[in-house]
Structure formats: C-alpha cells, structure tokens
Amino acid sequence: MTELASAPGERATDTDGNAIAPIHHWIGGATVAGTSGRTSPVYNPATGRQSGAVDLASVAEIDQVVQVAKQAFTTWRTVSLAKRAELMFNIRELVHQRKEEIAKLLVAEHGKVLSDAMGEVTRGLEVIEFACGIPTLLKGEFSEQASTGVDVYSIRQPVGVVAGITPFNFPAMVPMWMWAPAIACGNTFVLKPSEKDPSASVFTAQLLKEAGLPDGVFNVVHGDKVAVDALLEHPDVAALSFVGSTPIARYIYETGSKNGKRVQALGGAKNHMIVLPDADIAMAADAAVSAAYGSAGERCMAVSVVVAVGDAADPLVSAIQERLPKITVGDGMDPASEMGPLVTQVHRDKVAGYLESGAAQGATVLADGRESAPEGDGFFLGVSLLDNVTTEMDAYRDEIFGPVLGVMRVGTYDEALKLINDNPYGNGTAIFTRDGGVARQFQFDVNVGMVGINVPIPVPVAYYSFGGWKASLFGDSHIYGPEGIHFYTRGKVVTSRWPDPATSKVDLGFPQTR
Ligand code: NAD
C-alpha cells in the first residue's frame, strides 16, 4: 500500500507565525489548486486559531469538475458489478484502517471529541459496508411469458453525475451517506463539503484513489454559494443530494427541481423527547443528557427539547441537573473531554444568545454554559439547561444547534404529541415509557420520520433509510439504505420477444398481454 502524500502546496502563516495550510480541490484523481482567488478560513475551534484556507470554486471550476466527472461516467458505468463490489470492499478496508486519521481531522476542524469523531466514521463505514452488497441491491425483476413468447424485466441504471452538498456537523459521515451508494450504483460524484471543515473529504478522496477507484469517479470541490449555484444550474449534473439547514435545503430542492434535476434535500430539526411518568427516570435522564450535549448539540438528531409529562417533570429535571457538573468540556484531542467547542465563534455566540433570550422570555436558566465554558480563545460554551420553555420562546422556535437543552412541562401525553405534530420540523423524536401500548400509539400518531422508543437518537442502521418529515426533508427520497439506491438509479423496463417465424404477423392493435 502506498503512503499518502501530506497536504500539498504552499503554506502561509497567521500574524503569530502559525501555519495556515492551503486546502485545495480534488479533481480527476489529483489535487488541484483553486484559481478563483477566493478562499475561506478554516479554524481549530478548540484554540480559535485559523489553521487552513480553503479554496472557493468559481463557476468555471465547477464546470471543469463536472466535465471530468461526466467523462469518467462513460467508463465507470460499464464496470462490472463484481469489480464495483470489490472496489467498495477495498474502500471499506482502507477507511477502516485509516479511521483514526480521519477522526483526527474532524476533531481539528469541527471540534468534536475524538471518541465521537471515531463514532462518526464508524457510522459512515456502515453505509460503505451496505454499498459492498451492490450486486444484490441492483437486482431487477423478471416476468417470463408476460405474453406468449414475451418476457418483461426491470433494470436500474445510474443517473450520471451526482453532486453532494454537505453540512459542517458530520464532515465524514454525511458525505459517506451519499458517495458510497452513488458510486457503487455506477454514478460519478462531485462532493462540495462544508467550507468550515473540508479536510476530511480531501483525505477520503486520496483513500478512494489508493483503493483503486478510477480517477474522476469521486471529486471534491470546495466552495460557497457560488459553487452550489453553479452545480444547481449545470446541465450535466443529473442529481443532487443535500444535507444542511432548512432554508438552504428548501432553496436547493426548489432550484434543482426547476432545473430538471433529481433532488433530495435534508434540512434542520427540532427533536423532542417525551418522558412519561412511568419511565425509568435515570435512564431517561442519561439519554437526554447524552443526546442533548453529545457533539455539543451540533447533531441534526440531537435532543433539543425534553417534554416532561405530569409527575415526570420534577424528578427528571433534578436527575438531569445532577449529571451536568460531571460533563468535562475541553479540547477534543484531550481524552478527558466529553464535549468539545462549537464550530465557529459566530455560531458559539448565536447559541449563547438563546440563553439570554430564553431568560428574557421567561425560561428558568438552570445551567448557563457561558459561566462554565473553559477559558481561552476556543469557541466553547458549557452545557446549558432551560426549564419552563414554552412554544413562544426563540429557544423553542429555532433550531439552536448547540449544547442548550430545553425542558417543557405538559399535563398529558396528548399535549406532548400535539406539540411535536404542530412543530414545523419532523426529523427525529423519542418517547421514554414502560408502557408498550402508549409507545406503539406514539409510533402510529407522530408526524416524524425517525422515532425512538426508549432510544434517544434513533439514527437508522445502514440497511434502512434516514430522513425526516415536514421541513426536515424536501423531496421524496430518504438518504442511504434502499431509498438511497433508488435515488441514485433510474428504472428501465424491457419487454422482449425473440424472433419466432411461426408467430410472425403484422398487428396494428395496441399490444395486449392476453
Ligand atoms: P448550511 O445549510 O449552512 O450549509 C450546508 C451546505 O450548504 C454547506 O456545504 C454550505 O456551503 C452550503 N450553503 C450554505 N449557504 C448556502 C447558500 N446560501 N446557498 C447555497 N449553498 C449554501 O448547514 P450547516 O450549518 O453546515 O449544517 C447544520 C445544519 O444542517 C443544521 O440545520 C442541521 O440540522 C442540518 N443537518 C441536517 C441533517 C439531516 O439529516 N436532516 C444532518 C446533518 C445536519
């Protein structure tokens, strides 16, 4: 196995003499320096220092990468299923071997703690493993003798050049949700990762090449709205997968669809966790704390609101409060840290603003992360807890995307359910109870795409599909799993008859099967 090259190119320094690494595109199996003259800063959130400068692509550069992917598609789509499966196995092996290096890149640019970053790569690997089964996943249907001497069968073919536009919060896993099934299906791929933490994508691209993937099948192009708009408008991009915030997801879906593309656009979330009075309160408190503060709350499946029903409220709030002082916040590379910083200073300040507005709008601030954040220039905010949250508060209406957990107190299960079903988002939810009948009713009633029963973060395993309802998903297809395979392929139905002189005759009627 060849050793990978280290980050290429020239190095700049900041005013203190610290190195700022240039982060370039990956096009056609090689590093390509940007030509637009525009870059965006990449920070180490734990130190607050700029560590990199990522190229931002121009419209011309997007055209260049799409042309490369389009050219690669002509041969990649002809590669046998056996060979594609073998390549996916190679990729799986390499990503598995280099997991820790990928995870360290995530820590350095996103800020999450190393164990969480390793978990992210592991969940992404599961989707790669699913894609190793591509020969089985692409099996069609066959009807022999649909009419006399006529057979009918269905096949699924790749759509062409697929673009993936991904968010900052899962810089390795969310791209894997897209590129693994997309390329296994025979498409070529252009990834536009978040400009906030782009290095894991470039490193992954190098691994894919090392695994034997032909040049041009997987490309990474960095950029902002200019790059995304160019992908949305490019006539040779057949399909777009997007994961990010709801306003941009809606824009991507509407613009991409208008331009004739197949689009799946996953948006933001506001995930409620109901705790009924009969629940195991210790278990529910553990779950709420883990799901609210893991990855500093920067997960689209994070629990953002606990809905305590009736008598569950007081013991639950006490149990959550007891757990908070034990959470260690710090640099993600420190093994003692359980929660890292937020991704940028701007985002950290925005999240902190919900503590201020929450208090002003009547919430009870039981833990204020501004007071417990580690000192220094890192983008830290400690764990925060708001009680007596109501639907009018900004802390309830907005997706906070930070370590702020809100508690709402309601009288009945029906009130809790109504709260969730009235919310514009519908990504994930959970119920904690010992009553199987209520849990089953909840699963039936709730207008949310992913439901946990005594499980706080119900991210589906790789052989199911991931996706929310309402403002959490635009488009028909959920991502990865069977729906991912469906999204990255289109169906064709073949009706065939082989020449049989005995039955030869002209018939101007519409074909009938009987
Ligand atoms: P974001 O919407 O700001 O950015 C996502 C991507 O869109 C990035 O690649 C970014 O460069 C691009 N982008 C940003 N502004 C754009 C614009 N005006 N026009 C075109 N493209 C633009 O999201 P984020 O802050 O990176 O990620 C956090 C959000 O993602 C949260 O809302 C979170 O809930 C959501 N998310 C959802 C899921 C899900 O599966 N539903 C998963 C992870 C994250």
Side-chain angles (χ1 to χ4, degrees), residues 261-312:
K261 301 181 193 322
R262 180 178 288 206
V263 187
Q264 56 179 183
L266 285 77
K270 190 81 186 175
N271 305 314
H272 300 65
M273 172 175 148
I274 297 184
V275 182
L276 294 181
D278 73 345
D280 179 328
I281 294 295
M283 179 190 184
D286 285 343
V289 169
S290 309
Y293 304 114
S295 200
E298 291 174 325
R299 290 181 182 146
C300 66
M301 290 292 275
V303 166
S304 167
V305 191
V306 165
V307 187
V309 178
D311 294 344

Side-chain angles (χ1 to χ4, degrees), residues 165-170 174 177 192-196 223-225 228-229 232 242-246 248-249 251-252 266-269 299-300 399 401 427 466 472:
I165 298 155
T166 53
F168 80 81
N169 67 321
F170 284 109
V174 168
W177 288 358
K192 204 302 286 172
S194 170
E195 63 277 32
K196 296 191 177 92
D224 54 8
K225 182 169 166 55
V228 174
D229 283 346
L232 283 168
F242 173 89
V243 175
S245 61
T246 285
I248 312 297
Y251 167 74
I252 298 279
L266 285 77
R299 290 181 182 146
C300 66
E399 177 187 34
F401 223 57
N427 212 41
F466 179 110
S472 296

Side-chain angles (χ1 to χ4, degrees), residues 125-399:
L125 265 167
E126 289 172 13
V127 176
I128 300 176
E129 285 161 4
F130 177 74
C132 289
I134 197 65
T136 308
L137 294 167
L138 287 186
K139 272 161 93 170
E141 296 159 321
F142 191 95
S143 299
E144 186 186 46
Q145 196 76 342
S147 183
T148 308
V150 174
D151 300 329
V152 179
Y153 50 97
S154 66
I155 51 182
R156 294 206 71 84
Q157 297 189 326
V159 296
V161 178
V162 173
I165 298 155
T166 53
F168 80 81
N169 67 321
F170 284 109
M173 181 185 77
V174 168
M176 288 172 189
W177 288 358
M178 301 176 182
W179 62 252
I183 65 176
C185 286
N187 302 285
T188 54
F189 201 86
V190 176
L191 173 64
K192 204 302 286 172
S194 170
E195 63 277 32
K196 296 191 177 92
D197 40 22
S199 292
S201 294
V202 182
F203 184 73
T204 308
Q206 293 173 316
L207 294 184
L208 266 56
K209 182 181 172 88
E210 202 180 331
L213 193 72
D215 292 346
V217 175
F218 179 72
N219 308 277
V220 180
V221 68
H222 305 291
D224 54 8
K225 182 169 166 55
V226 172
V228 174
D229 283 346
L231 287 167
L232 283 168
E233 277 153 29
H234 202 294
D236 293 323
V237 172
L240 265 139
S241 295
F242 173 89
V243 175
S245 61
T246 285
I248 312 297
R250 184 181 282 119
Y251 167 74
I252 298 279
Y253 181 71
E254 289 174 357
T255 314
S257 305
K258 197 178 70 196
N259 290 336
K261 301 181 193 322
R262 180 178 288 206
V263 187
Q264 56 179 183
L266 285 77
K270 190 81 186 175
N271 305 314
H272 300 65
M273 172 175 148
I274 297 184
V275 182
L276 294 181
D278 73 345
D280 179 328
I281 294 295
M283 179 190 184
D286 285 343
V289 169
S290 309
Y293 304 114
S295 200
E298 291 174 325
R299 290 181 182 146
C300 66
M301 290 292 275
V303 166
S304 167
V305 191
V306 165
V307 187
V309 178
D311 294 344
D314 287 340
L316 180 67
V317 169
S318 305
I320 292 173
Q321 264 186 299
E322 266 169 35
R323 285 159 172 75
L324 301 192
K326 297 176 196 144
I327 297 174
T328 315
V329 181
D331 187 325
M333 285 310 296
D334 180 345
S337 301
E338 293 169 282
M339 190 182 105
L342 291 155
V343 70
T344 59
Q345 182 69 45
V346 171
H347 186 54
R348 183 250 169 238
D349 293 346
K350 184 172 173 230
V351 174
Y354 288 104
L355 297 169
E356 201 152 309
S357 68
Q361 292 167 0
T364 315
V365 183
L366 295 179
D368 188 332
R370 292 170 296 186
E371 291 162 6
S372 57
E375 289 187 357
D377 296 327
F379 312 140
F380 288 102
L381 185 67
V383 294
S384 304
L385 183 63
L386 299 177
D387 196 0
N388 299 307
V389 170
T390 61
T391 52
E392 299 79 36
M393 296 176 187
D394 293 336
Y396 178 73
R397 297 164 84 93
D398 297 351
E399 177 187 34

